[in-house]
Amino acid sequence: MRSIRPVQKVVDAFEALPGIGPKSAQRLAYYLLNVPQEKLTKFAQALENLKKDTRLCAICFNVGEEEFCPVCQDETRDRTQVCVVETSLDLLAFERADGFKGVYHVLGGAVAPLAGIGPNDLRIPQLTARVKAGEIKEIILATNPNMEGEATAMYITERIKEMGLMKNLKITRIGRGLPTGADIEYADGQTLTRALEGRGEM
Amino acid sequence: MRSIRPVQKVVDAFEALPGIGPKSAQRLAYYLLNVPQEKLTKFAQALENLKKDTRLCAICFNVGEEEFCPVCQDETRDRTQVCVVETSLDLLAFERADGFKGVYHVLGGAVAPLAGIGPNDLRIPQLTARVKAGEIKEIILATNPNMEGEATAMYITERIKEMGLMKNLKITRIGRGLPTGADIEYADGQTLTRALEGRGEM
């Protein structure tokens, strides 16, 4: 049977999303055939307006609706402490954890030479500009604990030192070790080594 | 941090889909923030037009673009053999398998008393009307091999017999047994029993 074009278009759109394979895409499209038109229109409008109605924060590059994102607008946040993350999703994860009262800087990714992403493709100049402005006392590097994230953290540290911005500034890296609820028996060697290195007093 | 409304709308729309949880929905929405507007618009239009540009086949209720679906339009198909399926997705699975040259009838679900779906909510009258017309020689009941599917198959058989339509008509149920590639060791008892019952000569 040849494919039904209007359905195939929706299948293709879903299939282009990360983590959705051809079978799930088809299931979703056929599911939507049984949804009221009103809901489809609402979904369509939300997609159409997703980027039009949002913008990146002029300070930290988090996603928001106005010039400054909700975090940067919040006057109770500590502007001397900046948590540097790769993406807005990472920022959201910290916000959900609800333990951080400083502000953020969203890099827009991590250096990945193999994917052709160098430091200049990230918002590192914007970060050093913020540091230069003088208000920041601590930079917490919260890039992912993988090769790209580590390289990015190291690059940023070098860059800030190189620029002579270390006066009154502390650069830290998020703690490494065993995640809560983990089984030591099944933990990988790297994680255990890091957990030992990062041990704290009781 | 309060949620960003335009993003939240997209998250909510994804979360309403089957098999997509809150975390995946959020990941998808943030992923789409980095996609060109042109692609978002295309996705939105595909959704908006999904139902507008499709219709159910006047004969078999499969999804198509015209009065008759591609299968019913195909003159090489054997109209004396009708495979009765629950949904258009099941029909697609048979088409992909590419072994069936008859036509279909899409019921639109299976009887599920607990979900309030009775025989009258399915396209059973439309099926008996097709049988009455006289061209059909075999009805292959290909509803799912679960409680609802079995009940539906039984109900349809009873209904056709009741209506005195069995003259020159054969009603069959799709074969039951071990799926290709299965491990007998791990097969459930029901499946093994059915496999024995459905054994064929070598």
Side-chain angles (χ1 to χ4, degrees):
Chain A
M1 192 182 88
R2 65 170 193 273
S3 69
I4 313 298
R5 269 166 302 146
V7 180
Q8 197 54 44
K9 280 182 192 168
V10 173
V11 173
D12 292 343
F14 275 120
E15 219 183 309
L17 299 177
I20 298 189
K23 280 217 163 175
S24 309
Q26 197 175 56
R27 202 169 303 122
L28 291 171
Y30 276 83
Y31 169 83
L32 288 173
L33 277 167
N34 295 313
V35 150
Q37 178 60 39
E38 182 192 314
K39 278 203 175 177
L40 279 181
T41 301
K42 227 172 146 184
F43 193 169
Q45 279 169 353
L47 285 174
E48 175 67 28
N49 297 327
L50 176 64
K51 287 179 70 148
K52 292 179 183 167
D53 292 349
T54 52
R55 49 194 294 193
L56 296 185
C57 174
I59 299 172
C60 75
F61 301 94
N62 178 23
V63 179
E65 290 176 83
E66 294 157 52
E67 188 178 2
F68 304 115
C69 80
V71 176
C72 288
Q73 276 182 36
D74 184 345
E75 292 184 1
T76 69
R77 309 289 296 229
D78 178 2
R79 271 140 234 281
T80 68
Q81 219 179 22
V82 176
C83 179
V84 178
V85 291
E86 293 182 18
T87 67
S88 290
L89 271 175
D90 296 338
L91 183 158
L92 276 185
F94 279 107
E95 287 297 292
R96 265 197 304 270
D98 204 24
F100 180 63
K101 292 299 162 211
V103 291
Y104 296 91
H105 189 85
V106 181
L107 293 171
V111 291
L114 290 178
I117 303 171
N120 295 329
D121 301 308
L122 306 175
R123 298 183 198 107
I124 295 175
Q126 291 89 332
L127 175 63
T128 53
R130 285 178 74 179
V131 175
K132 250 186 201 160
E135 204 185 5
I136 301 169
K137 289 189 182 134
E138 182 178 3
I139 297 268
I140 303 168
L141 296 170
T143 50
N144 281 319
N146 55 25
M147 227 167 59
E148 291 81 9
E150 296 296 355
T152 309
M154 265 165 53
Y155 177 86
I156 290 171
T157 309
E158 289 307 309
R159 190 84 194 93
I160 289 175
K161 283 182 179 165
E162 225 173 70
M163 292 175 76
L165 298 172
M166 288 300 289
K167 206 167 52 180
N168 302 321
L169 180 73
K170 189 163 70 171
I171 303 183
T172 58
R173 179 87 177 101
I174 39 161
R176 306 283 296 278
L178 287 158
T180 305
D183 247 319
I184 291 184
E185 185 182 347
Y186 297 114
D188 65 292
Q190 274 262 354
T191 299
L192 286 178
T193 305
R194 291 287 199 159
L196 283 173
E197 285 169 5
R199 67 191 183 277
E201 270 185 55
M202 291 284 290
Chain B
M1 191 183 88
R2 66 170 190 272
S3 70
I4 312 299
R5 268 166 304 147
V7 180
Q8 197 54 45
K9 281 182 193 168
V10 173
V11 173
D12 292 343
F14 276 120
E15 220 183 310
L17 299 177
I20 298 190
K23 280 217 164 176
S24 309
Q26 197 176 56
R27 201 169 304 123
L28 290 172
Y30 275 83
Y31 169 82
L32 288 173
L33 277 168
N34 295 314
V35 150
Q37 178 60 39
E38 182 191 313
K39 278 203 176 176
L40 280 180
T41 300
K42 227 171 145 184
F43 194 168
Q45 280 169 354
L47 284 174
E48 175 67 28
N49 297 327
L50 176 64
K51 286 177 70 146
K52 292 180 183 168
D53 292 350
T54 52
R55 49 194 295 191
L56 296 184
C57 175
I59 300 173
C60 75
F61 301 93
N62 178 22
V63 179
E65 289 176 84
E66 293 156 54
E67 187 178 3
F68 304 115
C69 80
V71 176
C72 287
Q73 275 181 39
D74 183 345
E75 292 185 358
T76 68
R77 309 289 297 228
D78 179 2
R79 272 140 233 280
T80 67
Q81 219 179 22
V82 176
C83 179
V84 177
V85 292
E86 293 182 19
T87 67
S88 291
L89 271 175
D90 296 338
L91 183 159
L92 275 185
F94 278 108
E95 286 298 291
R96 264 198 305 271
D98 204 24
F100 181 64
K101 291 299 163 212
V103 292
Y104 296 91
H105 189 84
V106 181
L107 294 171
V111 291
L114 290 177
I117 302 171
N120 295 329
D121 301 309
L122 305 176
R123 299 184 198 104
I124 295 176
Q126 291 89 332
L127 176 62
T128 53
R130 284 178 74 179
V131 175
K132 251 187 201 160
E135 204 184 7
I136 301 171
K137 291 190 183 132
E138 182 178 2
I139 297 267
I140 303 168
L141 296 170
T143 50
N144 282 319
N146 56 25
M147 228 166 60
E148 290 81 8
E150 295 298 353
T152 309
M154 265 163 54
Y155 178 86
I156 290 172
T157 309
E158 289 308 308
R159 190 83 194 94
I160 289 175
K161 283 183 179 165
E162 226 172 70
M163 292 175 76
L165 298 172
M166 289 299 289
K167 205 168 51 179
N168 303 320
L169 179 71
K170 188 163 71 172
I171 303 183
T172 57
R173 179 87 176 101
I174 38 160
R176 306 284 296 279
L178 287 157
T180 306
D183 246 320
I184 291 183
E185 184 183 347
Y186 297 114
D188 64 292
Q190 273 263 355
T191 299
L192 287 178
T193 306
R194 292 288 201 157
L196 282 174
E197 286 168 6
R199 68 192 181 277
E201 272 185 51
M202 291 284 288

